[in-house]
């Protein structure tokens, strides 16, 4: 009998298992090989970027890691403007799924810069896309995303950030929503900031952010205290023409310019022109000394009564009613004596000197928006006289700063700049007065602060010199007596001048501690005092009480009554 033996089923199962294990091992090997390959490619790419990213001939992949627009920094490397990768919140109205009214209500709660009605209009517009917020913070993105509307879109895009907000906003300008430069150095330096060959290299300004902050803070405090409608301030290097600070108030935030009034965008230091009053007396004095009209500081001029010229009468704010010499003219800010000296100079020399310091054309600076001075159309005898003390001609505060630099730096006028200069790139400039005349002007400026209308500007140990100026604002048919422009044009330290400092308040009001006066001596002089005290050490100028320019030859020329009573009425 033949026996039939069948192979057990477990042997067939065992064979299948061996085949399955082999297949699994093969697949694992393939996955591991793919993983190693991908890892190698990534590692190679990273190594390439690490080695070649900083080379001048880097490709598009490498340059894509750098911002589209270079940084703007101050003279010490502090960032003033930078391009960042920011969130933007938008919506596709044509793809909206939820209730528009409910979504508009919730958006208005999260982003109150628009009303509920405005959001509803956007959502119902049917547009393909509309922005809801540019430069959104991550927390806002999270909250808007939580609304659950698929039509809302979140993107990352380059945005221009000004980390110091309002600081130096008129200098920097801003970038509009389309990425185009709108004003300021952003517009002036656009080519350098976007040049592919210079990507990643910042543009360095002459501004010192520390000095800028001090100027803006003190000017703003004075503007608020005296209820002024505006203010302007400058600090200028007398030897290089570099602008170390340029302030215009009220300022604006370049990060959010949407609702800023147009007038706020105007840089009062470079676009607005003013009759700057008695600050011009220093220019007239320098002109007279340079041309030999005044050869003796002791020569006296009649100021015993107002000066009648035709139908015009020239008076002094704080009349001395006596004969005065040139130092006394400046210390007591006499319009009468200044007019007499200007009359002796004559139209030709007065007009030519103002042209030499650039008063007949826009200020020489990189900024595009620059005001044209109000230059007299006809130089009558009265015009020559009144321009000598700052009436009948209007310039910007920057014009005045550049002129004062020439008065004290040895006599050379140079164009101003907002770009940091090194010694090799300082322009030669043009000579307007001799070094001898320049030294005399330094003595006279110091005298005004030591014993004249500028006493409140004297910062201890900083050897400040300068001149006050208070001018009534012109109006149809004359001048507005209660609308003043109060200015102080100063220099420090006078023994070795380094910086011009200008502070101006537009329509200040008197206060109890100024005895109701809104003149420069009371309103702007203290600003100079506080600013110079703060910025001197920042600029490596150490207060020294024992150092000063020698004014001993001029002091005896100042007559003082034997029983001089203290008066609250200070000349401008």
């Amino acid at each position: 009998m033949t026996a039939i033996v069948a192979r057990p089923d477990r042997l067939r199962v065992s064979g299948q298992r061996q085949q399955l294990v082999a297949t699994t091992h093969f697949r694992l090997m393939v996955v591991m090989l793919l993983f190693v390959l991908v890892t190698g490619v990534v590692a190679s790419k990273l190594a390439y970027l690490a080695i070649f990213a900083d080379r001048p001939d880097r490709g598009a992949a490498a340059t894509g890691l750098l911002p589209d627009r270079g940084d703007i920094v101050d003279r010490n490397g502090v960032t003033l403007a930078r391009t960042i990768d920011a969130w933007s919140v938008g919506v596709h109205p044509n793809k909206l799924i939820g209730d528009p009214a409910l979504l508009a209500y919730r958006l208005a709660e999260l982003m109150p810069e628009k009303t509920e009605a405005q959001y509803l209009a956007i959502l119902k517009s049917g547009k393909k896309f509309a922005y809801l917020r540019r430069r959104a913070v991550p927390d806002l993105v999270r909250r808007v995303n939580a609304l659950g509307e698929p039509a809302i879109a979140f993107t990352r895009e380059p945005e221009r950030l000004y980390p110091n907000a309002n600081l130096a906003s008129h200098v920097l300008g801003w970038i509009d929503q389309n990425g185009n430069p709108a004003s300021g150095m952003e517009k002036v330096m656009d080519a350098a900031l976007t040049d592919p060959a210079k990507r990643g290299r910042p543009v360095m300004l002459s501004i010192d952010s520390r000095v800028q902050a001090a100027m803006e803070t003190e000017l703003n405090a004075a503007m608020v205290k005296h209820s002024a409608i505006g203010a302007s301030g400058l600090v200028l290097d007398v030897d290089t023409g570099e602008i170390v600070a340029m302030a215009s108030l009220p300022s604006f935030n370049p990060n959010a310019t949407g609702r800023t009034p147009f007038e706020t965008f105007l840089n009062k230091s470079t676009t607005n022109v003013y009759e700057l009053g008695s600050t011009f007396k220093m220019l007239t004095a320098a002109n007279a000394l340079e041309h030999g009209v005044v050869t003796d500081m002791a020569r006296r001029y009649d100021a015993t009564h107002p000066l009648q010229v035709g139908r015009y009468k020239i008076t002094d704010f704080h009349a001395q009613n006596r004969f005065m010499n040139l130092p006394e003219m400046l210390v007591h800010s006499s319009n009468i004596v200044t007019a007499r000296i200007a009359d002796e100079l004559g139209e030709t020399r007065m007009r030519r000197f103002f042209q030499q310091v650039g008063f007949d054309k826009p200020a020489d600076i990189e900024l595009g928006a620059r005001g044209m001075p109000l230059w007299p159309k006809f130089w009558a005898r009265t015009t020559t006289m009144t321009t000598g003390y700052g009436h009948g001609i209007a310039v910007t505060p920057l014009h005045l700063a550049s002129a004062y630099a020439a008065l004290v730096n040895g006599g050379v006028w140079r164009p101003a700049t907002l770009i940091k200069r090194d010694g090799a790139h300082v322009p030669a400039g043009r000579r307007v007065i001799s070094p001898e005349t320049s030294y005399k002007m330094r003595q006279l400026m110091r005298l005004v602060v030591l014993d004249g209308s500028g006493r409140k500007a004297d910062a201890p140990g900083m050897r400040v010199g300068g001149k006050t100026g208070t001018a009534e604002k012109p109006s149809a048919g004359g001048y507005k007596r209660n609308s003043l422009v109060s200015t102080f044009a100063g220099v420090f330290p006078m023994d070795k001048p380094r910086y011009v400092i200008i502070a101006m308040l537009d329509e200040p009001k008197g206060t109890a501690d100024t005895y109701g006066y809104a003149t420069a001596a009371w309103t702007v002089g203290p600003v100079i005092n506080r600013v110079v005290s703060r910025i001197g050490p920042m600029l490596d100028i150490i207060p020294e009480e024992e150092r000063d320019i020698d004014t001993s030859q001029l002091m005896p020329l100042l007559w003082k009554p034997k029983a001089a009573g203290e008066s609250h009425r200070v000349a401008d």
Side-chain angles (χ1 to χ4, degrees), residues 2 104 184 249 335 421 433 440 448 467 469 502 561:
T2 303
L249 299 176
N335 296 336
R421 285 173 174 163
I433 58 175
K440 292 175 184 177
V448 170
K467 184 69 185 77
I502 305 285

Side-chain angles (χ1 to χ4, degrees), residues 233-279:
L234 287 160
V235 178
L236 176 104
D237 188 307
V238 302
D239 292 319
T240 67
E242 292 172 290
I243 303 281
V244 183
M246 177 182 280
S248 179
L249 299 176
S251 61
F252 62 92
N253 186 349
N255 294 304
T257 59
R259 296 185 179 181
T260 304
F262 172 76
E263 294 77 13
T264 304
F265 291 130
L266 297 177
N267 186 344
K268 294 178 176 60
S269 296
T270 60
T271 61
N272 294 24
V273 296
Y274 306 90
E275 292 188 2
L276 293 173
S278 296
T279 58

